[in-house]
Amino acid sequence: MVERQCDKCGSQSRLVRDGSCAGCAARRSPLKLTPGGKLDKAAYVFAADGRQRVGRNRWLDQCDAERAERCGEFREVRCGKYAARIHPTGRLEVQDDSGWRTDDLEKLAREQGDAFFRFAQGEPDLVTVMCEAGWY
């Protein structure tokens, strides 16, 4: 406890570790306790706005991948009638010999649902391309 109040929250308690305001640190911290006194894991995983929290290293890796994709980096895979570009962010751009093309196969798969996966079962070359991109 200190005499001077915090300008932001009015608390007089400070952290021993670095002298910062304990009240402000508690509001910033993702660690919350349930009424039973146990760690609330949902509060740790999700931010107040509903987005999922990610660690700093994962966030930095994601930024690097986005930067590499903007610079035009990709890996090209060809299997049968399908040619694919695998981007650093994981985006899979696919086209076939007949002219069919998609910029994001994952988005197409989400939109089409089961119909897409039934189609893919009849296309072993497409399944091979998806395996090359890390889809299992």
Side-chain angles (χ1 to χ4, degrees):
M1 297 295 285
V2 294
E3 291 179 19
R4 199 171 131 248
Q5 291 185 343
C6 173
D7 296 334
K8 291 182 182 177
C9 71
S11 170
Q12 289 182 309
S13 58
R14 299 285 179 175
L15 296 177
V16 174
R17 152 181 93 227
D18 58 3
S20 63
C21 174
C24 293
R27 274 197 296 284
R28 276 193 315 268
S29 174
L31 301 176
K32 304 282 186 229
L33 298 178
T34 62
K38 295 185 178 179
L39 180 66
D40 185 4
K41 292 180 183 173
Y44 179 71
V45 173
F46 295 100
D49 61 1
R51 292 181 301 160
Q52 187 171 0
R53 292 181 188 273
V54 290
R56 180 172 171 74
N57 288 340
R58 183 174 173 192
W59 178 76
L60 289 173
D61 290 344
Q62 185 177 354
C63 288
D64 290 342
E66 290 171 0
R67 192 174 304 114
E69 185 169 334
R70 281 194 307 269
C71 291
E73 291 182 27
F74 59 86
R75 182 169 58 101
E76 198 157 59
V77 175
R78 183 146 188 87
C79 186
K81 67 179 186 176
Y82 292 100
R85 289 181 173 180
I86 304 168
H87 296 273
T89 57
R91 187 169 63 91
L92 183 60
E93 189 178 331
V94 179
Q95 71 180 44
D96 71 356
D97 292 339
S98 67
W100 174 83
R101 181 177 187 277
T102 181
D103 289 333
D104 191 354
L105 193 66
E106 183 180 3
K107 182 179 176 184
L108 179 71
R110 271 195 318 268
E111 290 171 354
Q112 300 290 322
D114 290 337
F116 171 79
F117 290 102
R118 281 193 301 274
F119 168 75
Q121 286 176 344
E123 297 288 331
D125 293 335
L126 182 60
V127 172
T128 305
V129 166
M130 290 189 299
C131 287
E132 284 288 327
W135 293 27
Y136 298 109

